[in-house]
Amino acid sequence: YRRQRQMCIRDSFKYSPEIYLHKLREGDDILFDKHVPIEFLESAVYFACETQTVAAGIVTEKTIKGLFYKKPFLIYSVRGYHKWLKDNGFELYDELFDYSFDDNPSFEYRWKHIMNQCDGILEMSMEELEDKEKFLKPKIDYNARRIRELAVL
């Protein structure tokens, strides 16, 4: 009996997002419950809500996923979260997102500001979004390298 090779999460970190997407498209024997879906990999922008949004901020897979898989992202989290990312060596995507909400103490204000930005992204044409993504590519690649440095991958 010969077992087919199945990728695990650790295996997926060995590949660049581009190679991983290619493997998914080619029908590699992926365990879908342990990997991001192909729709995520094909998306242009990533919005997420971190585990903590009021008291204390922690970085979880929700943020790491955007960095590792090379997605410009906006995270709903605690006050000052994006500043913390910048202070720790990550580039923000100022050309795509307005981070002025980040230092506001109001939970509701930050939430509404991010939701308005989601609406703005959804109103963009694919061409406009692709142009912004090309322009942001140096930052996106830098952030992917930075998260790998910190993760010692």
Side-chain angles (χ1 to χ4, degrees):
Y1 174 71
R2 183 174 174 214
R3 297 175 107 189
Q4 285 188 326
R5 180 182 177 276
Q6 293 181 326
M7 289 178 63
C8 68
I9 293 173
R10 191 174 54 244
D11 290 335
S12 70
F13 290 137
K14 294 177 184 176
Y15 303 111
S16 71
E18 296 82 8
I19 291 172
Y20 182 57
L21 179 59
H22 175 75
K23 286 182 165 294
L24 276 172
R25 286 183 176 149
E26 294 298 312
D28 202 326
D29 51 347
I30 302 286
L31 295 173
F32 288 100
D33 62 335
K34 297 190 182 340
H35 297 280
V36 296
I38 194 167
E39 293 83 1
F40 174 83
L41 294 169
E42 292 176 338
S43 66
V45 177
Y46 174 53
F47 291 96
C49 180
E50 260 301 352
T51 303
Q52 296 290 327
T53 59
V54 180
I58 58 173
V59 176
T60 70
E61 81 285 352
K62 296 166 193 82
T63 298
I64 292 169
K65 185 165 66 170
L67 295 163
F68 180 81
Y69 289 108
K70 298 183 175 184
K71 299 289 174 194
F73 63 88
L74 194 58
I75 304 290
Y76 181 70
S77 187
V78 296
R79 177 182 182 187
Y81 189 76
H82 293 92
K83 180 185 181 311
W84 182 89
L85 288 172
K86 188 161 180 67
D87 290 348
N88 282 276
F90 293 99
E91 294 289 330
L92 299 181
Y93 307 109
D94 300 307
E95 301 83 356
L96 187 59
F97 302 118
D98 172 11
Y99 296 98
S100 63
F101 68 91
D102 193 47
D103 194 39
N104 193 295
S106 168
F107 170 91
E108 185 177 353
Y109 178 88
R110 292 193 317 274
W111 176 256
K112 286 181 179 179
H113 195 87
I114 288 176
M115 291 300 100
N116 288 337
Q117 292 195 61
C118 288
D119 290 341
I121 295 292
L122 290 171
E123 291 172 5
M124 286 184 185
S125 69
M126 278 309 295
E127 293 79 22
E128 186 179 2
L129 210 46
E130 287 170 354
D131 287 345
K132 287 194 180 276
E133 189 177 24
K134 286 177 190 169
F135 185 76
L136 289 170
K137 187 167 177 19
K139 286 185 175 183
I140 293 168
D141 290 343
Y142 171 82
N143 284 340
R145 285 191 308 274
R146 178 73 179 132
I147 196 62
R148 283 171 173 75
E149 288 170 3
L150 293 174
V152 193
L153 289 177

